[in-house]
Amino acid sequence: MATTTHTRTADTALTAAEKAFELLTCEPAPLVFDARPVPGLPDKTMPLDELRRLLMFERYDSTTTDELWRQMAHHAREWGPAWVVGAIGVALPALTHLAAKISRGYARHADDVDSEVLAGFLQALRTADLAPPRLWLRLCWAAWRAGAAVVKPDDGEELPLDLSSGSRSPRMPYGHPDLLLGRAAAAGLITTEAAELISATRFGDALIEHLAAEQGVTASALRMRRRRAERIVAAAVTRGELSGPIHSSIRREATMAA
């Protein structure tokens, strides 16, 4: 979960959440987390800001991360608003990083992206199934999908006054890989699970052998599943289907192909 914090210059949903977290973790009575039941974490209780620093600068395997976020989600669901703020605060470095990546090149949407990233994470924190593995990844994916939905091309934008009358190259259908995967999943071209598999193993640090063991399948079967999904996404990028709004015809074709 190690990541860096990006500075926000304006008051947004994420900066407001950070201020609330600071109040929650200040002396003389900071909110503390019992890390003793979580394998891999120090055998003690610790203030949530200390826990956040630990997660930012140390790397933990999926077993530790999953159990940590199961505990955090249980607390947020059962122990009241303070733990909702606390869980969000622990996740804020990653959420801020995600929001910055989504809003890069879309500065005017940055506030909305921050709000939707936070809302997506909070919704998943309250409703996600806590039993399956890769819980932290699933929470982050929910936040990413919510934020990415904000920066879809706006068909109602006016043309700039200095638009050249000559021909222009079409906008390239590229983007951040996770954004393309999210759009492919939203269009029904691949499943959310396939998108998470590609993201975790191609752009994250997850090993396909570990994921295969968690899911009870062979690594070769999981590689084949990933390869099929990657070919579908590559073909969609080549056709330009992931660069604009996701049309219902794409969903119908995906359904028929499935």
Side-chain angles (χ1 to χ4, degrees):
M1 185 179 152
T3 186
T4 57
T5 302
H6 292 250
T7 301
R8 286 307 214 227
T9 57
D11 287 333
T12 71
L14 293 181
T15 57
E18 176 64 22
K19 292 176 182 176
F21 184 71
E22 290 173 358
L23 293 174
L24 192 69
T25 55
C26 67
E27 296 294 345
L31 193 64
V32 298
F33 177 79
D34 185 358
R36 291 173 295 184
V38 181
L41 289 185
D43 187 22
K44 64 177 185 177
T45 60
M46 64 181 76
L48 287 183
D49 55 343
E50 180 182 338
L51 174 64
R52 183 169 78 173
R53 286 193 297 271
L54 190 68
L55 297 175
M56 288 175 64
F57 297 110
E58 298 289 342
R59 302 193 71 86
Y60 295 98
D61 60 24
S62 59
T63 300
T64 299
T65 305
D66 278 357
E67 185 55 34
L68 164 66
W69 280 99
R70 285 190 188 100
Q71 295 285 343
M72 295 295 293
H74 277 303
H75 295 351
R77 294 176 187 186
E78 299 173 6
W79 291 4
W83 277 97
V84 175
V85 174
I88 290 172
V90 173
L92 267 177
L95 298 181
T96 306
H97 182 67
L98 287 178
K101 290 172 71 175
I102 294 169
S103 59
R104 187 174 299 137
Y106 300 94
R108 65 191 181 91
H109 293 310
D111 288 2
D112 291 336
V113 168
D114 278 17
S115 296
E116 292 304 314
V117 163
L118 182 58
F121 180 84
L122 181 57
Q123 176 68 13
L125 186 70
R126 288 171 169 164
T127 63
D129 187 348
L130 304 182
R134 314 302 293 181
L135 176 58
W136 170 244
L137 180 62
R138 288 186 284 120
L139 294 175
C140 288
W141 257 98
W144 177 274
R145 288 193 296 268
V150 174
V151 299
K152 292 188 298 184
D154 184 358
D155 293 335
E157 287 184 339
E158 295 182 0
L159 292 176
L161 296 177
D162 59 349
L163 181 65
S164 169
S165 59
S167 63
R168 301 176 65 194
S169 298
R171 181 173 54 195
M172 300 301 284
Y174 314 141
H176 188 275
D178 279 337
L179 181 57
L180 291 179
L181 292 172
R183 291 179 64 79
L189 297 172
I190 61 175
T191 63
T192 299
E193 290 76 14
E196 292 174 352
L197 172 63
I198 296 171
S199 176
T201 57
R202 294 299 195 192
F203 313 115
D205 57 1
L207 297 177
I208 203 163
E209 289 79 9
H210 291 171
L211 296 183
E214 290 176 352
Q215 297 177 25
V217 299
T218 64
S220 59
L222 207 55
R223 286 193 183 92
M224 187 176 300
R225 191 180 307 169
R226 182 181 64 183
R227 189 178 303 117
R228 285 198 299 266
E230 288 174 339
R231 288 173 177 169
I232 291 172
V233 173
V237 169
T238 301
R239 294 192 298 268
E241 292 176 352
L242 300 182
S243 60
I246 298 174
H247 299 291
S248 58
S249 59
I250 298 177
R251 291 193 177 93
R252 287 198 299 270
E253 292 173 5
T255 302
M256 293 173 65

